[in-house]
Amino acid sequence: MELKLLLLLLWSSGVHLEDRNRPAEADGEFRLVGGSSGCSGGLELKLLGEWRPVEDLYWNLKSLTAVCERLDCGSAVSINTTSEFSFRSAWMVNPRCSQPLSDLKNCFRSSDSSSPINLTCSDSLRLLNGSSRCSGRLQVKTNPSDQTWSSVCEADVDLQDAQVVCRELGCGAPSVLQGVLYGDVQTPRWSPEFQCGGHESALLDCRSSGSARNSCSPGKAAGLTCSGDEIRLVGGASRCAGSLELKYLGEQRPVTGGVFSMKRAALICEHLNCGSAVSFEPIDVSHQFLWRIDSQCVESGSDLWNCVVSWRSSYTLKLTCSDGVRLLNGSSRCSGRLQVKTNLSDQPWSSVCEADLDLQDAQVVCRELGCGAPSVLQGALYGDVQTPRWSPEFQCGGHESALLDCRSSGSARSSCSPGKAAGLTCSGVDEFRLVGGASRCAGSLELKYVGDQRPVMGDGFTLETAALFCEHLNCGSAVSLERTDAPLQSMWRIDSECFRSGPDPWNCVVSWSFFRTLKLICSGQQGADRQTGRPADRADAERVQWRDEFGPLNLPAVRTRWFL
């Protein structure tokens, strides 16, 4: 018995010694399983000693590119979500990870539910330093067993080669091929010359010169731009109105409307070569995978496509842009320098000479943009233009729904005096109000914005913040505020710091889904007689009337044409 025990102890010690000597499999590894190559398949991650699938939520292009790089694959080509929803344990990427994948322990957390992501990276080519996933400096890996990447000389890639590269990356047709477009390389390793027919599915399927180039002229490393991912509005009256969808990384999805602002709406309209953003509205649908456009990313100046994140929500977005008219450089969505597109199939925008726009024309423009009556028309009020393209003179009756429905002089103006590019200010129709209280200065805070009346989300408010809204309503100071529970619904969320700093408070409003509204009591109307509540004098009455109708009076002291 003692001999058996001794042998057991010796065997156990040997096992433990063997375990200590065996190299441990490191955490932080990715793999793609079930695909046609090591660069495609279901994405899995090993953390805390456990391999799990990775959920398709909160991913963006930057983090997907980092995964492809870790796998020593090329560029991210596509993602898709498995249709089956299971409760298998998974890893979920943290949407607030500021440096994607730099510290895996901080960038991922455990998830009980899983809708795994399928990722495809290119096997042997990539585009570096581009402004989108479909642009950059071209590099290839000519031997899959050799992990070294080679640059391509501009002289060694032609249109047929570029067509194959763009196809392999899941992008559209090539549009630009030029050396040093996306930076040059120091002492690079060069690839051989490719000789594609243009029909191949991958660059390495093409014939090549066999031997790599020894050198290439400075500034001649090939940079390529392919047409890329696509934004569209579907189901509307025109291509500038409808439900917003993105085709991105090979996946067509609606865009979530739960968290959206006018600034992002304006960016989308500009990207579609439509006019100004007129309205946006969240639509309640079944819970599904959507695309979300990250506002902080967009406002930091990043390319739109680098700001798209995989998301799950119950709200899609209906967006309306104007077709052929827009206001530029204004202090709000209802002001700016007027530009028109006289032929919707003709892409360039034309400025309008102040002399060619009268009250009836201005009424139509303001109506088309979903704004109130025109109040100011003046040349160069919102900046002038250098060597502009001019529109014809419009001859509206004032009742038309769009400027291009009006008659015009037919031929465009050849010139206009300097400083006379028409600048227009329409009164806004966006307004705050307090409802259900004892007076107009007490009640639940609501906002009518881009034609949609909603409660204001109640969280994030202090008395100091509330004072801004009492002042805006000409209701004195804030006396009290109370958060009230409500059913989950679409509300307006207001960034108080943005609202405080201006210059346009309406750029601080975001569509949001929430369950708590705000009840606010203000001290009463400023500048009013305490006994009667009426304005103290006529001048004050005029200021109150202007503010109630048009917002704070803050126009430059210049000569203007008024429509009041």
Side-chain angles (χ1 to χ4, degrees):
M1 183 69 179
E2 291 179 358
L3 179 61
K4 287 183 179 179
L5 183 58
L6 180 61
L7 290 173
L8 182 61
L9 288 171
L10 288 171
W11 176 81
S12 176
S13 299
V15 169
H16 289 161
L17 181 61
E18 182 182 349
D19 286 344
R20 282 196 299 270
N21 292 333
R22 181 185 300 146
E25 196 174 13
D27 269 3
E29 293 183 15
F30 287 99
R31 67 185 182 189
L32 293 168
V33 297
S36 57
S37 73
C39 292
S40 66
L43 180 61
E44 293 187 351
L45 168 64
K46 187 183 179 190
L47 271 184
L48 303 176
E50 185 177 358
W51 283 102
R52 295 186 192 178
V54 178
E55 188 159 8
D56 181 14
L57 272 182
Y58 313 132
W59 285 92
N60 59 25
L61 182 60
K62 188 174 182 179
S63 46
L64 290 170
T65 299
V67 170
C68 292
E69 287 179 0
R70 277 180 176 246
L71 293 168
D72 203 39
C73 298
S75 301
V77 174
S78 68
I79 64 170
N80 62 75
T81 308
T82 57
S83 57
E84 297 181 4
F85 188 87
S86 68
F87 286 92
R88 180 184 173 189
S89 294
W91 296 117
M92 178 185 290
V93 69
N94 181 354
R96 292 181 174 82
C97 184
S98 59
Q99 297 295 325
L101 312 183
S102 61
D103 184 347
L104 289 169
K105 283 184 270 188
N106 292 328
C107 285
F108 287 87
R109 61 181 174 86
S110 180
S111 170
D112 290 332
S113 61
S114 172
S115 192
I117 184 174
N118 283 306
L119 171 64
T120 299
C121 312
S122 57
D123 284 300
S124 53
L125 65 83
R126 64 188 184 186
L127 296 175
L128 298 180
N129 302 337
S131 58
S132 72
R133 73 178 191 91
C134 292
S135 65
R137 190 173 71 248
L138 178 60
Q139 287 196 325
V140 299
K141 197 163 48 172
T142 53
N143 184 351
S145 63
D146 182 355
Q147 301 304 314
T148 307
W149 290 88
S150 304
S151 294
V152 181
C153 190
E154 181 186 10
D156 293 340
V157 58
D158 61 13
L159 176 60
Q160 286 74 27
D161 304 331
Q163 286 172 335
V164 175
V165 170
C166 293
R167 183 182 301 120
E168 186 173 354
L169 293 174
C171 301
S175 56
V176 179
L177 175 61
Q178 178 185 329
V180 87
L181 188 62
Y182 297 104
D184 208 3
V185 282
Q186 300 298 319
T187 59
R189 169 175 168 153
W190 297 104
S191 75
E193 178 184 2
F194 293 96
Q195 299 163 351
C196 301
H199 58 276
E200 297 87 349
S201 58
L203 188 64
L204 294 191
D205 293 339
C206 302
R207 292 184 299 113
S208 73
S209 61
S211 58
R213 177 183 284 270
N214 291 326
S215 63
C216 185
S217 302
K220 293 298 183 179
L224 176 63
T225 301
C226 315
S227 58
D229 303 307
E230 179 185 6
I231 300 175
R232 65 179 185 176
L233 293 168
V234 298
S238 73
R239 72 172 193 87
C240 292
S243 298
L244 181 59
E245 292 187 352
L246 298 187
K247 185 178 181 182
Y248 182 58
L249 285 167
E251 184 109 335
Q252 184 90 34
R253 300 184 192 176
V255 172
T256 179
V259 184
F260 213 78
S261 67
M262 182 56 77
K263 189 174 285 189
R264 270 179 282 178
L267 183 74
I268 297 296
C269 293
E270 180 182 353
H271 195 92
L272 290 167
N273 200 32
C274 296
S276 299
V278 175
S279 68
F280 61 88
E281 175 188 359
I283 306 296
D284 198 356
V285 295
S286 60
H287 207 60
Q288 59 185 287
F289 279 95
L290 307 170
W291 295 120
R292 174 176 175 262
I293 301 172
D294 188 306
S295 59
Q296 291 181 340
C297 175
V298 169
E299 289 167 17
S300 70
S302 294
D303 180 82
L304 173 67
W305 298 110
N306 288 325
C307 301
V308 177
V309 181
S310 180
W311 208 255
R312 193 185 290 151
S313 175
S314 299
Y315 290 94
T316 59
L317 184 75
K318 183 178 179 182
L319 173 63
T320 301
C321 314
S322 57
D323 279 307
V325 62
R326 66 184 184 185
L327 296 175
L328 299 180
N329 302 337
S331 58
S332 73
R333 72 180 187 90
C334 293
S335 65
R337 190 173 71 247
L338 178 60
Q339 287 196 324
V340 299
K341 200 160 45 168
T342 53
N343 183 346
L344 296 183
S345 63
D346 183 17
Q347 297 305 307
W349 290 85
S350 303
S351 295
V352 180
C353 192
E354 181 189 9
D356 293 338
L357 198 76
D358 61 13
L359 173 60
Q360 286 74 28
D361 305 331
Q363 286 173 333
V364 174
V365 171
C366 293
R367 182 181 303 121
E368 186 173 355
L369 293 175
C371 301
S375 56
V376 181
L377 172 63
Q378 181 198 323
L381 186 61
Y382 298 104
D384 209 2
V385 281
Q386 301 297 320
T387 60
R389 169 178 167 140
W390 296 104
S391 74
E393 179 183 2
F394 292 97
Q395 300 162 352
C396 300
H399 58 275
E400 297 86 350
S401 58
L403 189 64
L404 295 190
D405 292 340
C406 302
R407 291 183 299 112
S408 71
S409 60
S411 57
R413 177 184 284 270
S414 58
S415 64
C416 184
S417 302
K420 294 296 183 179
L424 175 63
T425 300
C426 313
S427 59
V429 292
D430 306 319
E431 64 174 1
F432 289 100
R433 67 178 185 179
L434 293 168
V435 298
S439 71
R440 76 171 192 87
C441 293
S444 297
L445 183 60
E446 291 189 352
L447 170 59
K448 184 179 181 183
Y449 182 56
V450 291
D452 197 357
Q453 184 90 33
R454 300 189 211 169
V456 172
M457 174 180 150
D459 276 23
F461 272 80
T462 63
L463 274 176
E464 184 181 9
T465 304
L468 297 171
F469 298 95
C470 292
E471 180 184 353
H472 191 86
L473 290 164
N474 197 44
C475 283
S477 58
V479 175
S480 70
L481 60 88
E482 176 186 347
R483 296 164 184 83
T484 306
D485 289 339
L488 182 66
Q489 60 188 290
S490 291
M491 299 183 185
W492 294 120
R493 175 179 174 269
I494 300 165
D495 184 327
S496 58
E497 287 302 316
C498 169
F499 193 88
R500 184 195 310 276
S501 59
D504 178 24
W506 304 111
N507 281 332
C508 307
V509 180
V510 180
S511 178
W512 208 268
S513 301
F514 205 62
F515 54 86
R516 194 173 292 125
T517 59
L518 184 73
K519 186 176 180 182
L520 175 62
I521 297 176
C522 308
S523 61
Q525 183 167 298
Q526 289 177 341
D529 182 274
R530 293 188 179 181
Q531 298 294 324
T532 65
R534 291 192 297 270
D537 55 38
R538 180 173 179 179
D540 186 44
E542 289 174 353
R543 284 194 294 272
V544 170
Q545 180 181 6
W546 173 273
R547 191 164 193 164
D548 286 347
E549 292 183 12
F550 305 121
L553 181 58
N554 186 23
L555 295 174
V558 292
R559 186 175 180 181
T560 58
R561 202 184 332 167
W562 293 85
F563 298 137
L564 288 176

